[in-house]
Amino acid sequence: MERKTEELKAELQELVSKLLAYNQATGVMYYDAATIAPRGGAADRGNTLAVLSQVIYELQTGEATGVLLHALDERKAELDPITARQVSELLRDYDRTKKIPMEEYVAYQVLLNEADAVWHKAKVESDWPAFQPYMEKIVAFNRKLAAYLAPEKEPYDALLDQYERGLTMEKLDAFFSVLKEELVPLIRRIAAEGRQPEDVFAGKEFPVEQQRKLSDWLMEAIGIDREYCSIGETEHPFTTGWSKHDVRITTHYHLEEPLSSLYSVVHEGGHALYELHVADELQGTVLAGGAAMSIHECQSRFFENIIGRSRGFVHNLLPELQKLFPEQMAGITEEQLYRAANVAQPSLIRTEADELTYSLHVLLRYELEKQLIAGTLEVKDLPRAWNAKMKEYLGLDVPADRRGVLQDSHWSGGSIGYFPSYALGSAYGAQLLAKIRQSLDVDAVIASGDLAPIRAWLTERVWSKGSLYDPQDIFLQAAEEPFDPHYYTRYLVEKYSAVYGL
Amino acid sequence: MERKTEELKAELQELVSKLLAYNQATGVMYYDAATIAPRGGAADRGNTLAVLSQVIYELQTGEATGVLLHALDERKAELDPITARQVSELLRDYDRTKKIPMEEYVAYQVLLNEADAVWHKAKVESDWPAFQPYMEKIVAFNRKLAAYLAPEKEPYDALLDQYERGLTMEKLDAFFSVLKEELVPLIRRIAAEGRQPEDVFAGKEFPVEQQRKLSDWLMEAIGIDREYCSIGETEHPFTTGWSKHDVRITTHYHLEEPLSSLYSVVHEGGHALYELHVADELQGTVLAGGAAMSIHECQSRFFENIIGRSRGFVHNLLPELQKLFPEQMAGITEEQLYRAANVAQPSLIRTEADELTYSLHVLLRYELEKQLIAGTLEVKDLPRAWNAKMKEYLGLDVPADRRGVLQDSHWSGGSIGYFPSYALGSAYGAQLLAKIRQSLDVDAVIASGDLAPIRAWLTERVWSKGSLYDPQDIFLQAAEEPFDPHYYTRYLVEKYSAVYGL
């Protein structure tokens, strides 16, 4: 009996090795496609991805896989925690993926490869009609997917569950209503009474070559080991990785907006730090990635906002900016830079939105996705609906779809139900900050320029655990109390009341 | 019977699709590793490459593949030329690869992945001892490989045959002896009597950002469609590709030597043009790549030297250089730039060597490889042997292995027997030039700035054919007479006698 379990475990390890290999191969191809691949190669790449994703489907759902996983599941008591967790995760994938017919699964991967190339061009040219047919297919697939995965659930709940286990519209509606209730009055007050700082970067250019050097400094400043993490350039910043030894972040440089890439690098750097600090014993298993998108966004938004936009970080950042851009930064004070990094002002682009209005961008997407999946909004009407909500929540007119419905890469990447993770992650981060403050003088650590104590806290409580536990359990282990969105709203109200002297 | 052949052809197409998919996946991973992947990921990538290369091995040598290929081979008369050629090429791979035990084949792929990372670091640090154990394993494998592939042949002949079918030491010895006999006296005369031009770039810096713009101009100038070809940055320039829709070149920028990257881009651009112009009907087959390394190097060396270092090209290049580097290029005349691009002077680095001394760099490597494979030279003695030959042929002392035995990426990439292709390709190019001149005023075309007529000639005679014929047949179809190395020596003697006024 004992020997049999060892054999099964060896067989599991072989399956996992193959899955990780195919995931890396397809992942590198997607990364390559987003960074340097010539555009014209999309169709050929589609053929290759079809071949590889068919193998992945077969590895995940094949009969041998089912027999193996069920056999191991039956003797769970004998398994070490890492193996047991791998079995339950793979069994979950097995049950879920098996519900999707292989041809549809593979066709969807091919569609996404194509949609990504089309979206990229459509965004640059602000050409919604070019992307609309792809978005229609993506929404149609996701509606079918929801029915395959959990026919007993509301379709959008089935999709949310993919990114955050157990997340539902009911929970999100409650969460967003707290945010709306407590943040919208503050946003209105700032608009009415707050004095907006002057735009100290207006009319200046920040050469990309120098911005690249700034990225190097930022990665060093937050503690990324470049031996295991590289930086590329893409239309839309993202992070990807295949183990703690190979993580990639990307950014996008805007000549006239140095803070755009700056905070993208710190945001993606937060994602990277998480992956780079998963425990060694989880490497080579399916648990070596982050636990869920909300926990991931918690790390990235924590680094971007709580650390990156703090007074201490700005204090250390200013001399570096002055060194790299002596003319452009001449005469800019620390207070001016801090205010520039913490402007609260309705804006069009989510990734560049300030901390305070950010969650309204997420809310807008959440509400539109709900309607698309429920079938109460047609894809062709999406730009109009987007623009109407932008006016309603943020008071802004959208001048071009490039800066509206086409701005994000998530939908073209097939992710519907992902956006709420951003707001949830931000809220998780504020609650963790309160917890960290119980044992660390966070402001002093940031001001010291050496974030090691914060990284150590997060490594112990969150990062090292990879996907060994469910995301809500990881959050609970770290925060030591249930999630409460009021930590987030209090943090924002306190910070921005101070920034705007209200 | 007829239907049966159709079924077999469909099965062949499926096999080919899979092979191309795995080739692209592993190829993209190697490209990624050379360009942007973090160094620390090498070991994990090794696992992934092991999984994928095992599948490639099985696809190439599996029983089903053997049955299929032999069945198709038996009814060759019924097959269209493209299918027939695919069958014979795949059968050749089948026969050859099957002779290598799978474990050794896979272990070698993993070794190469590791060796590449080690070589990269060793080159930068000029640390031969770090690379020596890898080189020992690579040489040992190649000696075994030769015995597997063709036990009846001289081992080095078996290796040469991989890169150029039918090439032997006998042919190469004869070829190199012509070169030595006719070029060495000229090299000596230039050293004794020739007036070397002043180094117009000395002490100047050419910012990388501007050099990148120059690369864009160069690719445009030689007629590369960027929709299908991108450019990356690597330690050692190279070209790779998976179809006419996805080709990649790379370069390496040196701050003080603008001609280094400039001629790398034109060289790799020549490789790229070849792949980009293979006929449409060969796409999606195993014949969509270039015919052999000699034919490939013929294209790259043709663009780099015959076109790129011509008076007409220099005439068009100068204004662009002056635009991008106004201060550094101030006062430099066309004649000075032409002379700078055509200096004939012994130097240490092959990729930066002038046209005239270039083949001595290849000869050096050819002779060392012969000895390594014959077992008359041990790897540990390789740096000493390298340096002695460098002194003998080029009169130079090697100051550091970085600029000597560690300079090229071929050995760490597992290629032994590849280097002769460079000299052979250069010689092919000179003979093709004579042929092209029969129907085109080559100098006028180059001076016009529009190389389309030259590209059209090469497309028709060479590029479009991919690997549909053996390399020597493609050369013969293009040149319409047998290969004669005296075209090459005459071209060099005439050109450099004029440049140096001898």
Side-chain angles (χ1 to χ4, degrees), chain A residues 1-51:
Chain A
M1 189 71 168
E2 186 54 27
R3 197 178 144 260
K4 192 71 192 306
T5 301
E6 285 313 305
E7 277 172 23
L8 292 174
K9 279 176 70 176
E11 211 183 306
L12 178 73
Q13 196 43 52
E14 206 182 318
L15 170 69
V16 168
S17 285
K18 283 187 187 168
L19 273 170
L20 295 179
Y22 280 91
N23 277 336
Q24 179 169 16
T26 53
V28 169
M29 288 191 68
Y30 281 116
Y31 176 81
D32 176 79
T35 49
I36 198 168
R39 303 268 190 87
D44 290 351
R45 184 169 54 248
N47 293 338
T48 293
L49 290 171
V51 168

Side-chain angles (χ1 to χ4, degrees), chain A residues 405-430:
Chain A
V405 69
L406 285 170
Q407 68 180 264
D408 290 310
S409 62
H410 301 63
W411 290 338
S412 64
S415 301
I416 295 183
Y418 180 121
F419 282 116
S421 307
Y422 287 108
L424 212 52
S426 300
Y428 283 175

Side-chain angles (χ1 to χ4, degrees), chain B residues 42 109 129 206 234 249 343 351 397:
Chain B
Q109 307 308 315
F206 295 77
T234 52
I249 70 169
V343 170
T351 56
D397 293 309

Side-chain angles (χ1 to χ4, degrees), chain A residues 9 12-13 15-17 19-20 69 72 76 79-93 281-288 467-468:
Chain A
K9 279 176 70 176
L12 178 73
Q13 196 43 52
L15 170 69
V16 168
S17 285
L19 273 170
L20 295 179
L69 293 175
L72 280 163
K76 222 166 187 171
L79 303 176
D80 60 277
I82 292 175
T83 305
R85 176 74 180 175
Q86 284 205 91
V87 169
S88 67
E89 290 292 283
L90 287 167
L91 212 43
R92 187 167 185 264
D93 286 344
E281 56 267 35
L282 296 179
Q283 300 304 313
T285 76
V286 297
L287 312 176
S467 312
L468 191 55

Side-chain angles (χ1 to χ4, degrees), chain A residues 177-469:
Chain A
S177 89
V178 171
L179 301 194
K180 265 208 270 197
E181 196 174 310
E182 305 204 5
L183 300 182
V184 169
L186 178 61
I187 293 169
R188 297 228 167 104
R189 239 186 107 192
I190 288 174
E193 303 169 32
R195 193 179 44 84
Q196 285 297 356
E198 55 174 330
D199 181 354
V200 291
F201 301 126
K204 297 176 183 172
E205 294 198 343
F206 295 76
V208 167
E209 193 63 1
Q210 293 301 94
Q211 291 199 48
R212 288 196 185 105
K213 288 181 194 154
L214 177 61
S215 297
D216 292 335
W217 183 85
L218 291 165
M219 290 171 81
E220 172 88 27
I222 63 174
I224 288 178
D225 184 346
R226 298 293 287 272
E227 183 76 8
Y228 302 108
C229 182
S230 64
I231 177 164
E233 293 171 30
T234 51
E235 181 59 32
H236 195 96
F238 66 87
T239 302
T240 188
W242 304 285
S243 78
K244 73 188 295 175
H245 307 117
D246 191 344
V247 179
R248 319 287 178 89
I249 70 169
T250 74
T251 189
H252 188 120
Y253 297 107
H254 297 271
L255 192 60
E256 300 184 352
E257 296 162 41
L259 295 192
S260 172
S261 168
L262 193 162
Y263 284 110
S264 284
V265 169
V266 182
H267 176 100
E268 304 304 335
H271 284 301
L273 284 168
Y274 187 5
E275 301 274 328
L276 290 165
H277 289 84
V278 171
D280 285 337
E281 56 267 35
L282 296 179
Q283 300 304 313
T285 76
V286 297
L287 312 176
M293 290 327 304
S294 63
I295 306 289
H296 241 302
E297 292 298 336
C298 171
Q299 312 315 310
S300 55
R301 305 272 307 156
F302 189 93
F303 272 80
E304 176 192 345
N305 295 318
I306 292 174
I307 293 179
R309 298 185 199 272
S310 68
R311 288 203 177 267
F313 195 83
V314 164
H315 172 77
N316 295 320
L317 173 65
L318 182 60
E320 188 61 24
L321 286 174
Q322 284 169 332
K323 203 177 86 190
L324 290 169
F325 308 102
E327 284 174 32
Q328 299 90 325
M329 295 298 294
I332 296 181
T333 65
E334 196 173 308
E335 181 63 23
Q336 284 176 313
L337 182 59
Y338 176 74
R339 295 261 354 228
N342 290 288
V343 170
Q345 190 164 38
S347 63
L348 289 167
I349 308 295
R350 179 185 58 81
T351 56
E352 289 159 18
D354 60 79
E355 266 187 287
L356 186 59
T357 58
Y358 184 85
S359 49
L360 297 183
H361 290 261
V362 176
L363 174 63
L364 173 157
R365 288 155 177 77
Y366 165 62
E367 291 182 347
L368 293 176
E369 286 187 344
K370 279 203 295 191
Q371 292 178 300
L372 285 170
I373 297 303
T376 55
L377 174 65
E378 283 188 66
V379 170
K380 71 173 169 52
D381 298 324
L382 188 54
R384 207 170 45 205
W386 178 291
N387 297 351
K389 280 207 188 290
M390 191 50 88
K391 187 79 183 174
E392 183 189 345
Y393 292 149
L394 291 160
L396 297 174
D397 293 309
V398 177
D401 290 334
R402 184 170 58 80
R403 298 174 63 77
V405 69
L406 285 170
Q407 68 180 264
D408 290 310
S409 62
H410 301 63
W411 290 338
S412 64
S415 301
I416 295 183
Y418 180 121
F419 282 116
S421 307
Y422 287 108
L424 212 52
S426 300
Y428 283 175
Q431 189 165 345
L432 286 192
L433 172 65
K435 185 73 198 168
I436 300 175
R437 284 200 195 281
Q438 292 176 7
S439 56
L440 272 185
D441 182 345
V442 172
D443 301 326
V445 169
I446 297 174
S448 80
D450 178 4
L451 302 177
I454 295 175
R455 286 197 303 275
W457 195 98
L458 288 168
T459 298
E460 190 197 328
R461 298 276 184 134
V462 181
W463 296 347
S464 65
K465 298 176 183 182
S467 312
L468 191 55
Y469 310 102

Side-chain angles (χ1 to χ4, degrees), chain A residues 17-18 20-22 24-25 28-29 31-33 35-42 44-45 47-49 51-52 55 208-209 212 226-233 242-248 283, chain B residues 17-18 20-22 24-25 28-29 31-33 35-42 44-45 47-49 51-52 55 208-209 212 226-233 242-248 283:
Chain A
S17 285
K18 283 187 187 168
L20 295 179
Y22 280 91
Q24 179 169 16
V28 169
M29 288 191 68
Y31 176 81
D32 176 79
T35 49
I36 198 168
R39 303 268 190 87
D44 290 351
R45 184 169 54 248
N47 293 338
T48 293
L49 290 171
V51 168
L52 300 181
V55 177
V208 167
E209 193 63 1
R212 288 196 185 105
R226 298 293 287 272
E227 183 76 8
Y228 302 108
C229 182
S230 64
I231 177 164
E233 293 171 30
W242 304 285
S243 78
K244 73 188 295 175
H245 307 117
D246 191 344
V247 179
R248 319 287 178 89
Q283 300 304 313
Chain B
S17 285
K18 282 187 188 168
L20 295 179
Y22 281 90
Q24 179 169 16
V28 169
M29 288 191 69
Y31 176 81
D32 175 78
T35 50
I36 198 169
R39 303 268 190 88
D44 290 350
R45 183 168 57 249
N47 294 337
T48 293
L49 290 170
V51 169
L52 300 181
V55 177
V208 168
E209 192 62 3
R212 288 196 185 104
R226 298 293 289 271
E227 184 75 7
Y228 302 108
C229 182
S230 64
I231 178 164
E233 293 171 31
W242 304 284
S243 79
K244 74 187 296 175
H245 305 118
D246 191 344
V247 180
R248 319 287 177 90
Q283 300 304 313

